[in-house]
Amino acid sequence: MDFDALGNCLTSAGCAGPRLLGGLASAAVIYLVASGLSLVFGVMGVLNFAHGSLYMLGAYLGYTLASVFGGGTGFLAVLTALFVAPLLVALIGGVIEVGFLRRIYGRDLLYQLLLTFSFILIINGAIEKIYGPQFMSSPVPSVLSGTVSVFGQPFPVYQLFLIAVAVAVGLGLTVFIKRSKYGTILRATAEDQDMARALGVNVPRVWTFVFMAGAGLGGLGGSLAGPLRSLFPGMDLDVVVQAFLVVVIGGLGSLPGAALGAVLVGLFRAFGVIVAPGLELVFIYILVVIVLIVRPRGLAGREVG
């Protein structure tokens, strides 16, 4: 392990600055996916193993819509990535929740795991059938292409865009949940669904909304990650593992924890590759083990029970 190289990088603005932003850009995508996973678990108590597949759906739908309506590189490509693809994934999430998940609420957790795992297989199979098994790439929209100078080093504009979107989504979610009437209903439902039902809250409708919002966040992460990563059936595995690591570090059901966990994972990947190229994920797993030993509920999670 080359810790001297890490020390040299940290003392050089030209090395540390771009790597810091690169880590935050990676964290932005992970945060969008993990926040949806955490939101669903926090309100509904559902651990959605198919969340990574919804991310993959977002990536492929973003690619398709951008190719059809925006020529793949124009302003419409950005709009479809931001709004249309996530909305379509949210609608698919609504179908999954209403048509399938709703039928097994109250049953053993194993039913949830088996059902959501089956959707991994279904979505992967559908993607491979429609798009084929080959790797595909989505172009960076022309309006967000190019680089800017960061500490004297070129840095992609698109990655700065990802950071800005993640910050905007995080602030929007916080304001919505903490300040809005519907956010109050969400928090009340998460605390005690029986009491919320007794007060007249339509809990099934709230859960459908939450699951759709979580699916949409996963789809948003996928559609925005498309220009950065290769698209292929099975691309969901890597991101869903990272999303689960993020929520374990930050705390299951905690949106601030998801943000904190995503930043830590992004930075560990960005700087860990300097110390041990190809083994940077090992540092993240070590961090997870330490968090589980020292603070099992996560850095920002609440005590249960």
Side-chain angles (χ1 to χ4, degrees):
M1 293 188 180
D2 194 351
F3 287 100
D4 289 338
L6 177 62
N8 293 333
C9 181
L10 292 176
T11 55
S12 168
C15 175
R19 283 201 176 273
L20 175 65
L21 289 177
L24 292 178
S26 175
V29 173
I30 302 171
Y31 167 70
L32 292 173
V33 180
S35 61
L37 187 68
S38 198
L39 178 66
V40 170
F41 182 83
V43 177
M44 303 170 62
V46 171
L47 206 52
N48 181 16
F49 271 62
H51 196 68
S53 300
L54 297 173
Y55 157 87
M56 181 172 64
L57 265 180
Y60 274 94
L61 286 173
Y63 167 81
T64 302
L65 290 169
S67 302
V68 172
F69 297 106
T73 58
F75 186 65
L76 279 177
V78 179
L79 293 180
T80 55
L82 280 176
F83 300 107
V84 182
L87 178 60
L88 291 176
V89 177
L91 292 175
I92 292 171
V95 172
I96 292 174
E97 198 277 335
V98 174
F100 300 93
L101 275 174
R102 187 175 290 185
R103 301 174 186 279
I104 62 169
Y105 291 146
R107 297 189 186 182
D108 192 273
L109 180 63
L110 181 63
Y111 287 90
Q112 287 182 16
L113 301 183
L114 290 174
L115 180 60
T116 54
F117 181 74
S118 70
F119 276 103
I120 295 176
L121 302 179
I122 293 170
I123 294 173
N124 266 280
I127 291 289
E128 186 167 349
K129 186 71 174 177
I130 295 171
Y131 294 94
Q134 70 276 10
F135 284 68
M136 302 167 65
S137 61
S138 186
V140 175
S142 57
V143 293
L144 297 171
S145 62
T147 61
V148 294
S149 179
V150 176
F151 299 105
Q153 301 293 325
F155 190 81
V157 172
Y158 190 75
Q159 295 196 25
L160 292 176
F161 170 71
L162 291 181
I163 297 172
V165 171
V167 171
V169 169
L171 291 176
L173 281 174
T174 301
V175 172
F176 176 75
I177 292 175
K178 298 291 186 184
R179 302 294 183 185
S180 73
K181 177 183 176 182
Y182 207 86
T184 303
I185 293 174
L186 289 186
R187 285 186 280 122
T189 305
E191 288 290 337
D192 191 332
Q193 59 173 289
D194 292 330
M195 181 63 72
R197 190 177 283 111
L199 292 173
V201 174
N202 188 333
V203 174
R205 185 179 298 174
V206 171
W207 281 17
T208 300
F209 170 81
V210 169
F211 197 85
M212 291 179 67
L217 286 168
L220 176 62
S223 63
L224 292 178
L228 294 180
R229 303 176 180 179
S230 297
L231 277 60
F232 60 95
M235 62 179 287
D236 53 331
L237 180 60
D238 179 57
V239 75
V240 77
V241 169
Q242 291 189 49
F244 272 106
L245 292 176
V246 163
V247 297
V248 169
I249 293 171
L252 276 170
S254 169
L255 290 178
L260 177 60
V263 169
L264 289 173
V265 168
L267 294 182
F268 268 60
R269 292 201 70 167
F271 289 97
V273 71
I274 300 174
V275 178
L279 296 175
E280 60 272 17
L281 279 178
V282 173
F283 298 110
I284 299 172
Y285 292 130
I286 293 173
L287 174 63
V288 170
V289 171
I290 294 173
V291 169
L292 287 175
I293 293 173
V294 177
R295 194 176 170 87
R297 61 181 182 275
L299 297 177
R302 294 185 305 169
E303 194 72 60
V304 177

